[in-house]
Amino acid sequence: MRTWCGSLNLSYRGKDVLLKGWVQRVRDLGSLVFADIRDRTGLVQVVGGRELARLRPEWVVEVRGTVREREAKNPNLPTGDVEVEVKEIRVLNPSRTPPFPISDEIEVSEEVRLRFRYIDLRRPKMQRNLLLRHRMSMAVRKFLDSQGFVEIETPILTRSTPEGARDFLVPSRNYPGRFYALPQSPQLFKQILMISGFERYFQFARCFRDEDLRADRQPEFTQIDLEMSFVEEEDVMRVAEGLMREAFSVAGIELEPPFPVMSYREAMERYGTDSPDLRIPYEIKDLSGFGPGGNRIVGQALEAGGRLLGMKVPGGLSRREIETLEERVKSAGAKGLLWMKRSEKGFSGSLRGEEAWRERIAEALSLGEGDLALFMAGIGVEKFMGFLRQAVAELKKIELEGFKALWIVDFPLFERDEEGRLASNHHPFTSPKEEDLSILEEEPLKVRARAYDLVLNGVEIGGGSIRIHRSQVQRRVLRLLGVEESKFSFLLKALDYGAPPHGGIAFGFDRMVMMAAGEESIRDVIAFPKTTSALCLFTGAPSGVAPEQLEELKIKIIS
RNA sequence: GGGGUCGUAGCUCAACCCGGUUAGAGCGCUGGCCUGUCACGCCAGAGGUCGCGGGUUCAAAUCCCGUCGGCCCCGCCA
């Protein structure tokens, strides 16, 4: 019977044990040799003579021996009170010298880590992260099961839909020139399952989007996808809150539902983003009402239909820091940054203008002596102010501790895309608010959606909506979007066969685990992630294929 | 699609700005010594296409152009 290395303690004193694992390190003192043996549960020291001296890091071994109390204990090691006196050691497999040691202390470039992922995953941090991921998924499954949800798998080979992100395509051999698409989400299938009468569905769904990557974005990722029949917004939100509470509690993080609710408009006004981090204390104020105040830049901005937005930075910033911020917002696309500082001598800074005007602005921001205010003027500056708010918090090294969740609701159903056409803010199956149906065609941009986003510490962690369950409403929305009905005829038809009112939500599971683990990158909670240029450094995917394979698919590479 | 940043020993980095002997350090590795170590210690040693290609120059790790790759951001992500 094998004993886990990490489980050994004084209660094993005198017992014979069999350990299996990897050699962490060998300390050769001559006729006395120590080795640390590691398995998934931890490390334990074994002690013996010259027979241990030939061991090298990462060799796979089997050790038989007797547990004894140590002469010199190691308080830094959970098993530090004991050691195993070796009776027999067998090398099951030697190892080449690893490119980097199995330790959280050592910094290794991500490139090397991904190339040797099997070694990287031996590191305690990565083992912890993937174990946490497992426990969170188990907690979620248990919770959803207890709430009457049924896990149902939906296809990976499915139909390309023109809306939304770029699809990954899979060529069909049986139908040359035709393609399957990998799902961007199981959206339509889960709606169909509601029509099929399952009432409550969930799935840990792998989703695929062929877009450029980020620290929190991978081309394939995992969503906790769920859908419910006969529900309103609040019903879905309560289930989602319970799910979040259960998932995060396994990481020792207590979320306390119900989460506060904020309208999209309020979030944009106060924080300049639809996913605000409420732990940051700054707020944005609209100062357009005070007029141009003799300031040329502000005057031009207001005349063009733009706004003057300001934000107080208590305690101020140095000139150098303001310059740094300006560079950062400019690289994000902003035109520039204005500032004003209040000192005992009065106002200073680049927001010049009439003294009374500056006084009124300072008052509106409750600017005290030593405080700084930052401003932007123009059209669409809200989101740059939101970016600035984050950047200032970073620069001021504001302690961002704890977890603050909130719901964002009352999104507009549509937005204008670059070409000025209507586009869905969420997706085309999101229901408009009943009371806004009458203005759907006349004033589509004023129509609010029955959608809700769940934001945790400024990260969008989930989003969902009550769906359209009447084909006639779905037709009107598709028409406004300029989408041919034929593309979704299967959905429209299904809606006419007794579709119940339904709605749901999907969570970015990788992001949830990332936050619970305190990681900055989603790659650290995914066993085999892609690089930011969508390569798998471990297998070398994507790769070329044999000419015969292309031949069979009737595919020709043209460049 | 765009911007930034990095690429030198197995790993992490220095030398690069301002071109000029034999490209260094720590860790790791190999060998030797050592009975209480636990980041063991001490002694000795090996180890480099300076990402790749081209250019400038008497001379390139260093300057220029291109290219490949890692990371971060903007666009994009219904």
Side-chain angles (χ1 to χ4, degrees):
Chain A
M1 261 292 282
R2 174 185 181 190
T3 306
W4 293 107
C5 294
S7 69
L8 290 178
N9 56 41
L10 283 173
S11 72
Y12 282 83
R13 196 165 19 183
K15 295 212 169 93
D16 282 348
V17 292
L18 170 63
L19 306 174
K20 292 172 192 256
W22 289 260
V23 175
Q24 176 73 24
R25 190 177 271 119
V26 180
R27 290 177 293 280
D28 181 353
L29 276 64
S31 58
L32 183 67
V33 182
F34 300 97
D36 294 331
I37 307 298
R38 184 192 73 240
D39 63 23
R40 202 179 86 188
T41 63
L43 278 185
V44 70
Q45 173 169 288
V46 301
V47 57
R50 292 307 300 163
E51 73 277 14
L52 295 183
R54 69 188 179 107
L55 299 179
R56 294 290 178 270
E58 298 315 302
W59 283 24
V60 185
V61 294
E62 183 180 281
V63 178
R64 272 172 213 287
T66 311
V67 180
R68 69 182 188 198
E69 190 166 359
R70 284 208 203 180
E71 270 174 48
K73 296 187 177 176
N74 182 351
N76 301 318
L77 197 65
T79 62
D81 286 344
V82 295
E83 63 192 359
V84 174
E85 190 181 3
V86 174
K87 284 185 175 156
E88 186 192 344
I89 183 149
R90 278 180 59 202
V91 174
L92 302 178
N93 204 353
S95 168
R96 295 169 65 175
T97 302
F100 52 90
I102 313 308
S103 161
D104 290 341
E105 317 295 312
I106 308 292
E107 286 292 322
V108 186
S109 73
E110 198 154 352
E111 188 170 357
V112 175
R113 288 177 54 201
L114 290 177
R115 201 156 268 143
F116 292 91
R117 192 57 159 179
Y118 41 91
I119 292 171
D120 187 43
L121 292 178
R122 287 180 197 165
R123 301 164 83 201
K125 186 183 86 164
M126 295 304 289
Q127 295 256 324
R128 260 200 316 279
N129 288 354
L130 292 182
L131 230 63
L132 175 65
R133 186 180 174 116
H134 163 72
R135 287 192 292 129
M136 287 177 77
S137 91
M138 292 309 279
V140 167
R141 285 196 154 94
K142 190 175 155 209
F143 172 75
L144 289 175
D145 181 55
S146 78
Q147 301 293 306
F149 284 81
V150 181
E151 178 156 26
I152 301 176
E153 291 157 277
T154 55
I156 292 294
L157 293 177
T158 178
R159 185 197 164 110
S160 175
T161 52
E163 299 281 304
R166 263 190 293 267
D167 285 318
F168 281 101
L169 297 176
V170 180
S172 149
R173 173 180 57 82
N174 288 321
Y175 304 94
R178 288 162 67 176
F179 297 82
Y180 300 99
L182 305 182
Q184 298 180 23
S185 98
Q187 182 60 35
L188 291 172
F189 289 105
K190 68 174 172 175
Q191 289 189 239
I192 300 295
L193 287 169
M194 293 304 100
I195 300 172
S196 306
F198 282 97
E199 306 241 359
R200 292 187 163 203
Y201 138 95
F202 85 99
Q203 181 181 196
F204 275 73
R206 197 65 71 86
C207 302
F208 305 86
R209 292 177 190 173
D210 189 5
E211 297 293 344
D212 288 343
L213 307 181
R214 290 286 189 285
D216 61 355
R217 265 166 34 190
Q218 282 276 300
E220 58 177 301
F221 59 99
T222 303
Q223 279 191 350
I224 306 169
D225 191 49
L226 64 90
E227 195 76 5
M228 308 164 73
S229 292
F230 305 107
V231 289
E232 309 278 331
E233 287 88 332
E234 285 69 26
D235 301 301
V236 180
M237 287 158 79
R238 291 299 88 78
V239 166
E241 286 167 346
L243 184 154
M244 288 289 287
R245 188 192 56 225
E246 294 303 315
F248 278 81
S249 83
V250 303
I253 296 161
E254 299 306 325
L255 300 178
E256 282 167 27
F259 304 147
V261 178
M262 185 181 288
S263 74
Y264 171 81
R265 176 191 281 271
E266 185 183 349
M268 291 306 292
E269 291 288 325
R270 290 172 63 188
Y271 306 112
T273 171
D274 61 0
S275 54
D277 188 338
L278 295 185
R279 299 171 306 169
I280 299 175
Y282 314 128
E283 274 195 37
I284 298 161
K285 287 254 165 25
D286 188 347
L287 307 162
S288 311
F290 296 114
N295 182 295
R296 198 173 50 83
I297 297 170
V298 176
Q300 283 172 358
L302 293 180
E303 203 147 307
R307 304 205 286 172
L308 172 65
L309 300 180
M311 186 180 87
K312 178 169 101 165
V313 181
L317 288 168
S318 71
R319 291 288 277 265
R320 181 80 204 90
E321 287 172 318
I322 296 170
E323 277 167 32
T324 307
L325 282 174
E326 180 156 25
E327 275 165 38
R328 290 193 56 186
V329 296
K330 274 185 171 168
S331 75
K335 290 256 163 49
L337 192 61
L338 294 165
W339 60 279
M340 181 168 86
K341 199 167 196 164
R342 174 173 236 165
S343 65
E344 65 280 10
K345 285 179 281 182
F347 298 122
S348 58
S350 58
L351 187 81
R352 294 179 222 292
E354 295 152 13
E355 203 54 24
W357 177 73
R358 300 218 289 182
E359 186 57 57
R360 279 199 297 276
I361 284 174
E363 201 175 310
L365 292 170
S366 50
L367 206 66
E369 269 185 26
D371 289 342
L372 169 79
L374 298 169
F375 306 90
M376 286 192 219
I379 298 171
V381 289
E382 296 85 352
K383 66 175 211 177
F384 297 124
M385 286 301 285
F387 183 86
L388 180 69
R389 181 170 165 269
Q390 292 273 150
V392 173
E394 241 170 77
L395 203 62
K396 295 281 270 182
K397 299 198 168 59
I398 302 273
E399 283 285 328
L400 297 180
E401 282 182 350
F403 287 81
K404 280 200 178 162
L406 86 154
W407 289 104
I408 304 290
V409 298
D410 293 344
F411 287 89
L413 187 64
F414 301 111
E415 59 192 358
R416 291 257 179 234
D417 68 14
E418 325 72 78
E419 280 101 49
R421 290 176 310 216
L422 282 184
S424 290
N425 206 333
H426 197 58
H427 58 55
F429 319 109
T430 300
S431 177
K433 294 221 174 202
E434 198 68 28
E435 61 266 35
D436 293 346
L437 267 181
S438 56
I439 55 162
L440 192 56
E441 281 78 12
E442 286 71 35
E443 296 189 274
L445 290 174
K446 287 202 176 148
V447 174
R448 289 162 303 159
R450 296 184 67 182
Y452 29 83
D453 270 6
L454 181 56
V455 175
L456 184 63
N457 293 353
V459 178
E460 189 197 324
I461 212 130
S465 62
I466 300 301
R467 327 297 182 188
I468 298 168
H469 67 282
R470 288 169 295 180
S471 65
Q472 151 256 346
V473 177
Q474 186 67 73
R475 281 201 174 83
R476 285 168 71 190
V477 169
L478 290 178
R479 199 174 309 130
L480 280 166
L481 292 169
V483 176
E484 284 172 52
E485 277 186 20
S486 62
K487 294 225 167 85
F488 294 107
S489 54
F490 60 102
L491 174 69
L492 291 165
K493 197 169 167 191
L495 291 176
D496 282 336
Y497 284 92
H502 62 285
I505 189 167
F507 299 86
F509 184 54
D510 312 276
R511 285 185 187 174
M512 284 171 60
V513 181
M514 171 181 85
M515 297 188 76
E519 292 292 353
E520 307 254 291
S521 164
I522 208 177
R523 294 183 298 273
D524 284 339
V525 298
I526 295 174
F528 302 103
K530 310 276 188 292
T531 67
T532 48
S533 49
L535 300 176
C536 175
L537 293 184
F538 181 55
T539 63
S543 65
V545 296
E548 306 82 68
Q549 286 176 286
L550 292 178
E551 177 94 3
E552 201 163 44
L553 296 164
K554 306 275 190 292
I555 286 178
K556 198 176 197 172
I557 308 297
I558 56 171
S559 65

